Each structure stands twice: as structure tokens, then as C-alpha cells.
Amino acid sequence: MKKLKTLSFIVLSLMISSCARVPVRGAHGLHTIEPYPTIPQQIITVPAEITRGTVYHEVAPGETVWRISKMYDVAVNDIVGANTLRNANTLEKGQKLVIPNAAPIRAVIPMWPSRKWDYIIIHHSATDVGNALKFDSAHTKRRWKGLGYHFVIDNGTSGKKDGQIEVSPRWLHQEDGAHCKADGMNYRGIGICLVGNFSEDRVTAKQMESLVFLVNRLKEYYNISRSHILGHGQVEGAQTECPGTKFPWSDFRRRLE
Ligand SMILES: [Zn+2]
């Protein structure tokens, strides 16, 4: 019995390491995340058509047909055709699209070589509900040139999946944030906002999984040290309890690579 267990463990780890050598970066999307050995589970999947279906998608800031086609693994032309779009390049924020034969949504996160990013700053929205589009319009009203964060991690409200990572136009254009004035963090810190109020509520398990995944990938790619991964309120000179007095720092830091 003991031998059997050892054997299954070896097979599992071999599968992980052989998957890890697949050269296409990000090919496994969210599922490259560790420490959970999710990779074999994702490779031996149920046939894709079982989980595919027609979904409706509200266009978030910065999203293009190309980006949405990658998010749902659907051809650009199928989205253009299903929505009789005259011009695939002119989506509007808040526009509703039908996505035929869509796979479950996945985050599409581009990485660009840059020396600009030296910190990662974590925020909460201090609201119970929301998504990138809603914060974009709130921030626009404050004359911040739109959504101030680089990423939003949803909590399953406002039409978004729990743990969904939304990529902000500021990240897509590699622009400064408008999320933390203190210590110049708008210019050198990547701003990630989790939807929720973590002085009152808990970070959902899926939000935490996505946050750990995202921070680990950014940290690795931009060579950001652990001590430069901070909550908004931990930045020198910042006077805020953001991302909330109950944010689970020890769990989060334990899961950083
Ligand atoms: Zn904040």
C-alpha cells in the first residue's frame, strides 16, 4: 500500500515537470499556479464541448475582440459574425456581446519587458460589489483618466466570475497607475484591486488563488522582491486601512514563491 502511494506521487510529479517544460508561456493560463498540483487535472479534462456554451459578455475597459476571443477561446470571426459587428476594432465599454460556443472564461495577461515595475501594491475596492467597468466609471468621475488600477480581481458580483482577473487599460498600455500616491507608487507600483471590503468581509478562496497566481507571475517576471509586495496601507506615508483590517496577510505571504 505504501509502495502504491509512493508510485502515484512519482507519476504525478513527473507529469508536473514534463508539463512545466512546455515552452509556450502562459499556455496553461491560470493553471500553472502552484503549490496546488492542478496541472494534471487540467490536462485530463472532460471534452471541451461539454463545458462550452453561449455566453453574454459586457465589454470592459481596454477589451478588444481579439482579447475577448482569447478569453473565451473563440475565433474573432465568430464573435464578429454573431454580433454583426461592422468594425471589429471599435468596441465600446459596456457594450453587450454574445459569444457563441465559449469555453469557460480565462484571464489573458500580457507581460512586457520593463524596468519600471518595482513594487506590487494590493488594494480592496471597499465595496461589496463591482468590476473593472464600474470602477472605471467611478474613477472617471474623479477625473483620474479611467480605472486607476492595473488589475481587478472580481468576487463574483456585477456579472463577473469569482476570482476572475480583469486586465486594465493602464496595464495594456504600460501606464502609471492612479491607485497610490504615497511614496511614488503610482509610477513604480503595479496596482491590483480585489473587489470587496476586507475590513468587513473575507477574501474569497478563488480571489486569493488568483491573487497568488498573479503576484507570483509578476514577481517572477519583473524580479520584484517579496519586501516590495505591500498592501496600500503598508506604503510609507499612506494613511489608509486598504486592503482592509482583515486581509489575510499570513496566508497570502505563505503562498508566495
Ligand atoms: Zn487602496
Side-chain angles (χ1 to χ4, degrees):
M1 193 62 200
K2 208 174 179 188
K3 260 188 181 169
L4 263 179
K5 273 186 182 167
T6 315
L7 190 66
S8 64
F9 176 74
I10 291 168
V11 171
L12 186 69
S13 42
L14 277 176
M15 285 172 77
I16 292 174
S17 58
S18 67
C19 293
R21 284 200 293 272
V22 173
V24 182
R25 187 182 172 82
H28 299 301
L30 265 175
H31 309 299
T32 54
I33 188 166
E34 288 172 353
Y36 303 106
T38 54
I39 293 170
Q41 291 167 29
Q42 293 304 322
I43 288 170
I44 309 162
T45 55
V46 287
E49 49 275 13
I50 291 177
T51 55
R52 283 180 176 263
T54 299
V55 300
Y56 295 89
H57 181 85
E58 184 180 50
V59 177
E63 287 181 352
T64 59
V65 174
W66 178 86
R67 170 158 284 278
I68 293 166
S69 84
K70 296 287 177 216
M71 287 159 66
Y72 290 104
D73 189 30
V74 170
V76 165
N77 283 343
D78 292 350
I79 298 175
V80 171
N83 296 278
T84 54
L85 297 175
R86 278 201 208 120
N87 186 344
N89 297 318
T90 55
L91 291 183
E92 285 182 26
K93 288 188 263 191
Q95 187 174 346
K96 304 276 198 304
L97 296 177
V98 54
I99 315 292
N101 199 29
I105 192 166
R106 60 182 180 187
V108 178
I109 303 165
M111 299 280 190
W112 289 274
S114 169
R115 286 168 188 268
K116 180 175 173 65
W117 308 117
D118 195 26
Y119 283 81
I120 296 172
I121 308 299
I122 297 165
H123 302 263
H124 69 164
S125 66
T127 60
D128 294 338
V129 301
N131 61 25
L133 180 65
K134 287 201 174 358
F135 302 145
D136 178 73
S137 83
H139 292 180
T140 300
K141 281 177 194 151
R142 292 192 209 170
R143 301 172 187 269
W144 284 0
K145 254 184 72 190
L147 184 60
Y149 309 112
H150 293 105
F151 297 95
V152 173
I153 300 180
D154 298 309
N155 68 346
T157 64
S158 302
K160 296 296 174 186
K161 282 249 163 65
D162 186 11
Q164 189 175 328
I165 299 172
E166 296 192 83
V167 185
S168 158
R170 288 186 194 259
W171 184 254
L172 297 174
H173 302 140
Q174 291 290 285
E175 290 172 351
D176 294 339
H179 59 92
C180 179
K181 227 178 200 176
D183 210 15
M185 287 303 167
N186 280 337
Y187 314 112
R188 54 190 181 139
I190 301 169
I192 302 174
C193 176
L194 283 78
V195 181
N197 182 339
F198 308 126
S199 292
E200 306 289 336
D201 281 326
R202 285 164 175 263
V203 179
T204 73
K206 286 183 175 169
Q207 280 182 303
M208 182 53 83
E209 190 173 336
S210 294
L211 178 68
V212 168
F213 167 80
L214 180 60
V215 169
N216 276 330
R217 296 289 76 77
L218 292 168
K219 173 180 176 294
E220 176 188 47
Y221 191 88
Y222 294 104
N223 202 16
I224 296 170
S225 78
R226 290 173 77 101
S227 62
H228 284 198
I229 298 166
L230 300 171
H232 185 179
Q234 295 165 346
V235 176
E236 203 178 318
Q239 292 185 331
T240 171
E241 62 182 39
C242 178
T245 51
K246 293 181 182 167
F247 188 88
W249 283 109
S250 58
D251 178 40
F252 171 65
R253 295 208 181 276
R254 188 175 50 78
R255 292 168 65 175
L256 290 183
E257 285 160 11

